[in-house]
Amino acid sequence: MMRHATFRQLEIFAAIARLGSFTRASEELFLTQPTVSMQIKKLSDAVGLPLYEQIGKRIHLTDAGLELARTAREIIAALERMDMSVAQMQGLQKGKLRLAVVTTAKYFAPMLLGDFSRLHPGIALSLKVTNRERVLERVAENLDDLYILSEPLGSLDLEARAFLDNPLLALAAPGHPLARRRSIPLERLAEEPFLMREPGSGTRQAVEELFAAHGLKPNVRMELGSNEAIKQAILAGLGISVLSRHVLVAGHGRGDPVVLRVAGFPIVRHWHVAYPRGKELSVVARAFLEFLLSAARAYAGGGAAPGASSRPLFGEPRPPVRRRT
Ligand code: PGA
């Protein structure tokens, strides 16, 4: 009976198994929910056993469902290996590069991809931007070719290369009383209303770790799911926050937050490009990795990578502290 199952149905089922939800699977696959439900009903009929139970909103796979999810992943991986062999045979003429990056890397990843694609116009590109936790989920599911994220990487089974620093700065609105202070103890920062990224964010993790290392906790006033929203909230006077220097560099419009001179800041971090240890990189992924590393070396040396545009790929270097007069 399984012979009646289609590859598309297996793909949908693998997405449901991974995401634990019909809604999220249909969003990811750009399908309507009724289509997803109908395909899964057909798949379940083909298997002849129920594949899942629904408790509240959450999907729980039955034993048959778990077995089918494993099989679906193997089939998908086998076809991807086939795709990769074909791309290998075609060299860099064709093929696909799938890159997943944490939110702050969106300020430079599209430019890198733009330059890479001018060198290799036949390559299809996909860029997923999400928070650290989701990026790590994607690593575990082997969904992309390469990942860009920050520390800590120690416990993860990744091959990783540091290519650029990613300092996290304490930021406030230009008129904030702390903006004029020359040296601010961390205890003082902990008293200020703090605008915090959502759970799962690497920025949030770094902030919590710094405060915890000093026996402190930030005074969270509001949780926001994006760096941009936090930046605007700082400017709106809702509180202070800690964000990557890249967020500041990307600023235009209503001015920028100012950098506070707080003890322990900036939190020193680095961008890494990574892939699961033992994964065989495609020709395209290897070419992009080399391109990225040479662009970063050139940036550090003040030049442009061979083939890269003359725009500063990783943002204009900025003095770390802006003084008010
Ligand atoms: P985030 O990650 O987007 O999850 O905060 C940023 C980082 O880890 O540097």
Side-chain angles (χ1 to χ4, degrees), residues 253-302:
R254 282 216 273 162
D256 276 347
V258 291
V259 180
L260 300 178
R261 284 162 275 190
V262 183
F265 277 86
I267 300 176
V268 178
R269 304 177 92 212
H270 301 87
W271 289 117
H272 290 72
V273 55
Y275 55 93
R277 203 178 298 286
K279 178 175 170 116
E280 198 197 328
L281 288 185
S282 67
V283 184
V284 173
R286 251 183 286 135
F288 181 75
L289 182 66
E290 286 312 316
F291 177 78
L292 166 69
L293 295 174
S294 82
R297 276 193 300 271
Y299 176 78

Coordinates of all heavy atoms in Angstrom, one line a residue, residues 253-302:
G253 N 17.5 57.1 9.3 CA 16.2 57.7 9.7 C 16.2 58.5 10.9 O 17.0 59.4 11.0
R254 N 15.5 58.0 12.0 CA 15.4 58.8 13.2 C 16.6 58.8 14.1 O 16.5 58.9 15.3 CB 14.2 58.1 14.0 CG 12.9 58.4 13.5 CD 12.0 58.6 14.7 NE 11.4 57.3 15.1 CZ 10.9 57.1 16.3 NH1 10.8 58.1 17.2 NH2 10.4 56.0 16.6
G255 N 17.8 58.7 13.5 CA 18.9 58.7 14.4 C 19.2 57.4 15.0 O 18.5 56.4 14.7
D256 N 20.3 57.3 15.7 CA 20.7 56.0 16.3 C 20.7 56.1 17.8 O 20.8 57.2 18.4 CB 22.1 55.8 15.9 CG 22.2 55.1 14.5 OD1 21.2 54.7 14.0 OD2 23.3 55.1 14.0
P257 N 20.5 55.0 18.5 CA 20.7 55.0 19.9 C 22.2 55.3 20.2 O 23.0 55.2 19.2 CB 20.4 53.5 20.3 CG 19.6 53.0 19.2 CD 20.1 53.7 18.0
V258 N 22.5 55.7 21.4 CA 23.9 56.0 21.7 C 24.5 54.8 22.5 O 23.7 54.1 23.2 CB 24.2 57.3 22.5 CG1 23.9 58.5 21.7 CG2 23.3 57.2 23.8
V259 N 25.8 54.6 22.4 CA 26.4 53.5 23.1 C 26.8 53.9 24.5 O 27.4 54.9 24.7 CB 27.7 53.1 22.3 CG1 28.4 51.9 23.1 CG2 27.4 52.7 20.9
L260 N 26.3 53.1 25.5 CA 26.6 53.5 26.9 C 28.0 52.8 27.3 O 28.3 51.7 26.9 CB 25.5 52.9 27.8 CG 24.1 53.4 27.6 CD1 23.1 52.8 28.5 CD2 24.1 55.0 27.8
R261 N 28.7 53.6 28.1 CA 30.0 53.1 28.5 C 29.9 52.3 29.8 O 30.1 52.8 30.9 CB 31.0 54.2 28.7 CG 31.4 54.7 27.3 CD 32.0 56.1 27.3 NE 31.0 57.1 27.2 CZ 31.2 58.3 27.0 NH1 32.4 58.8 27.0 NH2 30.2 59.2 26.9
V262 N 29.4 51.1 29.7 CA 29.1 50.2 30.9 C 30.3 49.2 31.1 O 30.8 48.7 30.1 CB 27.8 49.4 30.6 CG1 27.4 48.6 31.9 CG2 26.7 50.4 30.2
A263 N 30.6 49.0 32.4 CA 31.6 48.1 32.7 C 31.2 46.7 32.2 O 30.1 46.3 32.3 CB 31.8 48.0 34.2
G264 N 32.2 46.0 31.5 CA 31.9 44.6 31.0 C 31.4 44.7 29.6 O 31.2 43.6 29.0
F265 N 31.3 45.9 29.0 CA 30.8 46.0 27.6 C 32.0 46.5 26.7 O 32.8 47.2 27.2 CB 29.6 46.9 27.5 CG 28.4 46.3 27.8 CD1 28.0 46.2 29.1 CD2 27.6 45.7 26.8 CE1 26.8 45.5 29.4 CE2 26.4 45.0 27.1 CZ 26.0 44.9 28.5
P266 N 31.9 46.2 25.4 CA 31.0 45.3 24.7 C 31.1 43.9 25.1 O 32.2 43.5 25.6 CB 31.3 45.5 23.3 CG 32.7 45.9 23.2 CD 33.0 46.7 24.5
I267 N 30.1 43.1 25.0 CA 30.2 41.7 25.1 C 30.9 41.2 23.9 O 30.4 41.5 22.8 CB 28.8 41.0 25.3 CG1 28.1 41.6 26.5 CG2 28.9 39.5 25.4 CD1 26.6 41.1 26.7
V268 N 32.0 40.6 24.1 CA 32.8 40.2 22.9 C 32.3 38.9 22.3 O 32.2 37.9 23.0 CB 34.3 40.0 23.3 CG1 35.1 39.6 22.1 CG2 34.8 41.3 23.9
R269 N 31.9 39.0 21.0 CA 31.5 37.8 20.3 C 32.0 37.8 18.9 O 32.4 38.8 18.4 CB 29.9 37.7 20.3 CG 29.3 37.7 21.7 CD 27.8 37.7 21.6 NE 27.3 36.4 21.6 CZ 26.2 36.0 21.0 NH1 25.6 36.8 20.2 NH2 25.8 34.8 21.2
H270 N 31.9 36.7 18.2 CA 32.4 36.6 16.9 C 31.4 35.9 16.0 O 30.7 35.0 16.4 CB 33.7 35.9 16.8 CG 34.7 36.5 17.7 ND1 34.9 36.2 19.0 CD2 35.6 37.5 17.4 CE1 35.8 37.0 19.5 NE2 36.3 37.7 18.6
W271 N 31.3 36.3 14.7 CA 30.5 35.6 13.8 C 31.3 34.3 13.3 O 32.5 34.4 13.1 CB 30.2 36.5 12.5 CG 29.3 37.6 12.8 CD1 29.5 38.9 12.7 CD2 27.9 37.4 13.2 NE1 28.4 39.6 13.0 CE2 27.4 38.7 13.3 CE3 27.1 36.3 13.4 CZ2 26.1 38.9 13.7 CZ3 25.8 36.5 13.8 CH2 25.3 37.8 13.9
H272 N 30.5 33.3 13.3 CA 31.1 32.0 12.8 C 30.3 31.5 11.6 O 29.1 31.7 11.6 CB 31.1 30.9 13.8 CG 32.0 31.2 15.0 ND1 31.8 32.1 15.9 CD2 33.2 30.6 15.3 CE1 32.8 32.1 16.8 NE2 33.6 31.2 16.4
V273 N 31.0 30.9 10.7 CA 30.2 30.2 9.6 C 30.4 28.7 9.9 O 31.5 28.3 10.3 CB 30.7 30.6 8.2 CG1 32.2 30.4 8.0 CG2 30.0 29.8 7.1
A274 N 29.4 28.0 9.9 CA 29.4 26.6 10.4 C 28.6 25.6 9.6 O 27.7 26.0 8.9 CB 28.9 26.6 11.9
Y275 N 28.9 24.4 9.8 CA 28.1 23.3 9.3 C 28.3 22.1 10.2 O 29.3 22.0 10.9 CB 28.5 23.0 7.8 CG 29.9 22.7 7.6 CD1 30.4 21.4 7.6 CD2 30.9 23.7 7.3 CE1 31.8 21.1 7.4 CE2 32.2 23.4 7.1 CZ 32.6 22.1 7.1 OH 34.0 21.8 6.9
P276 N 27.3 21.2 10.1 CA 27.4 20.0 11.0 C 28.7 19.2 10.8 O 29.1 19.0 9.6 CB 26.2 19.2 10.6 CG 25.3 20.1 10.0 CD 26.1 21.1 9.3
R277 N 29.4 18.8 11.9 CA 30.6 18.1 11.7 C 30.4 16.8 10.9 O 29.4 16.1 11.1 CB 31.1 17.7 13.1 CG 32.6 17.4 13.2 CD 33.0 17.1 14.6 NE 32.8 18.1 15.6 CZ 33.5 19.3 15.7 NH1 34.5 19.5 14.9 NH2 33.2 20.2 16.6
G278 N 31.3 16.5 10.0 CA 31.1 15.3 9.2 C 30.3 15.5 7.9 O 30.2 14.6 7.1
K279 N 29.6 16.6 7.8 CA 28.8 16.9 6.6 C 29.6 17.1 5.4 O 30.6 17.9 5.5 CB 27.8 18.1 6.8 CG 27.0 18.4 5.6 CD 26.0 19.5 6.0 CE 25.3 20.0 4.7 NZ 23.9 19.8 4.7
E280 N 29.3 16.5 4.3 CA 30.1 16.7 3.1 C 29.5 17.9 2.4 O 28.3 17.9 2.0 CB 30.0 15.5 2.2 CG 31.1 15.5 1.1 CD 30.7 14.5 0.0 OE1 30.1 13.5 0.3 OE2 31.1 14.8 -1.1
L281 N 30.3 19.0 2.3 CA 29.8 20.2 1.7 C 29.7 20.1 0.2 O 30.6 19.4 -0.5 CB 30.7 21.4 2.0 CG 30.7 21.9 3.4 CD1 31.6 23.1 3.5 CD2 29.3 22.2 3.9
S282 N 28.7 20.7 -0.4 CA 28.5 20.7 -1.9 C 29.6 21.6 -2.5 O 30.2 22.4 -1.7 CB 27.2 21.2 -2.3 OG 27.0 22.5 -1.9
V283 N 29.9 21.5 -3.8 CA 30.8 22.4 -4.4 C 30.4 23.8 -4.2 O 31.3 24.7 -3.9 CB 30.8 22.1 -6.0 CG1 31.9 23.0 -6.6 CG2 31.0 20.7 -6.3
V284 N 29.1 24.1 -4.3 CA 28.6 25.4 -4.2 C 28.9 25.9 -2.8 O 29.3 27.1 -2.5 CB 27.1 25.5 -4.5 CG1 26.5 26.8 -4.2 CG2 26.9 25.1 -6.0
A285 N 28.5 25.1 -1.8 CA 28.7 25.5 -0.4 C 30.2 25.8 -0.1 O 30.5 26.8 0.6 CB 28.2 24.5 0.6
R286 N 31.1 24.9 -0.6 CA 32.5 25.2 -0.4 C 32.9 26.5 -1.0 O 33.7 27.2 -0.4 CB 33.3 24.0 -0.9 CG 33.9 23.1 0.2 CD 34.7 22.0 -0.3 NE 33.9 21.0 -0.9 CZ 34.2 20.3 -2.0 NH1 35.2 20.7 -2.7 NH2 33.3 19.4 -2.4
A287 N 32.4 26.7 -2.2 CA 32.8 28.0 -2.9 C 32.3 29.2 -2.1 O 33.1 30.2 -2.0 CB 32.2 28.0 -4.3
F288 N 31.1 29.1 -1.6 CA 30.6 30.2 -0.8 C 31.4 30.4 0.5 O 31.7 31.5 0.9 CB 29.1 30.0 -0.5 CG 28.6 31.2 0.3 CD1 28.3 32.4 -0.4 CD2 28.4 31.1 1.7 CE1 27.9 33.5 0.3 CE2 27.9 32.2 2.4 CZ 27.6 33.4 1.7
L289 N 31.8 29.3 1.1 CA 32.5 29.4 2.4 C 33.9 30.1 2.1 O 34.3 31.0 2.8 CB 32.8 27.9 2.9 CG 33.5 27.8 4.2 CD1 32.7 28.4 5.3 CD2 33.8 26.3 4.5
E290 N 34.5 29.7 1.0 CA 35.8 30.3 0.7 C 35.6 31.8 0.4 O 36.4 32.7 0.8 CB 36.5 29.6 -0.5 CG 37.1 28.3 -0.2 CD 37.9 28.4 1.0 OE1 38.7 29.3 1.2 OE2 37.8 27.5 1.9
F291 N 34.5 32.1 -0.4 CA 34.2 33.5 -0.7 C 34.0 34.3 0.5 O 34.5 35.4 0.7 CB 33.0 33.5 -1.6 CG 32.5 34.9 -2.0 CD1 33.2 35.6 -3.0 CD2 31.5 35.5 -1.3 CE1 32.8 36.9 -3.3 CE2 31.1 36.8 -1.6 CZ 31.8 37.5 -2.6
L292 N 33.2 33.8 1.5 CA 32.9 34.5 2.7 C 34.2 34.8 3.5 O 34.4 35.9 4.0 CB 31.9 33.6 3.5 CG 31.8 34.0 5.0 CD1 31.0 35.3 5.1 CD2 31.0 33.0 5.7
L293 N 35.0 33.7 3.6 CA 36.2 33.9 4.4 C 37.2 34.9 3.8 O 37.8 35.7 4.4 CB 36.9 32.6 4.6 CG 36.1 31.6 5.5 CD1 36.8 30.2 5.5 CD2 35.9 32.1 6.9
S294 N 37.2 34.9 2.4 CA 38.2 35.9 1.8 C 37.6 37.3 1.9 O 38.3 38.2 2.0 CB 38.5 35.4 0.4 OG 37.5 35.8 -0.5
A295 N 36.2 37.4 1.8 CA 35.6 38.7 1.9 C 35.9 39.3 3.4 O 36.2 40.4 3.5 CB 34.1 38.7 1.7
A296 N 35.8 38.4 4.4 CA 36.1 38.8 5.7 C 37.5 39.2 5.9 O 37.8 40.2 6.6 CB 35.7 37.7 6.7
R297 N 38.4 38.4 5.3 CA 39.9 38.8 5.5 C 40.1 40.1 4.8 O 40.8 41.0 5.4 CB 40.7 37.7 4.8 CG 41.0 36.5 5.7 CD 42.2 35.6 5.0 NE 41.8 35.1 3.7 CZ 41.2 34.0 3.5 NH1 40.8 33.2 4.5 NH2 40.9 33.6 2.3
A298 N 39.5 40.3 3.6 CA 39.7 41.6 2.9 C 39.2 42.7 3.8 O 39.7 43.8 3.8 CB 39.1 41.5 1.6
Y299 N 38.0 42.5 4.4 CA 37.3 43.6 5.2 C 38.2 43.9 6.4 O 38.5 45.1 6.6 CB 36.0 43.0 5.7 CG 35.3 44.0 6.6 CD1 34.6 45.1 6.1 CD2 35.3 43.8 8.0 CE1 33.9 45.9 6.9 CE2 34.6 44.6 8.8 CZ 33.9 45.7 8.3 OH 33.2 46.6 9.1
A300 N 38.8 42.9 7.0 CA 39.7 43.1 8.2 C 40.9 43.9 7.7 O 41.4 44.8 8.4 CB 40.1 41.8 8.8
G301 N 41.3 43.6 6.5 CA 42.5 44.3 6.0 C 42.2 45.7 5.3 O 43.0 46.3 4.7
G302 N 40.9 46.0 5.3 CA 40.5 47.3 4.7 C 40.3 47.3 3.2 O 40.1 48.3 2.6

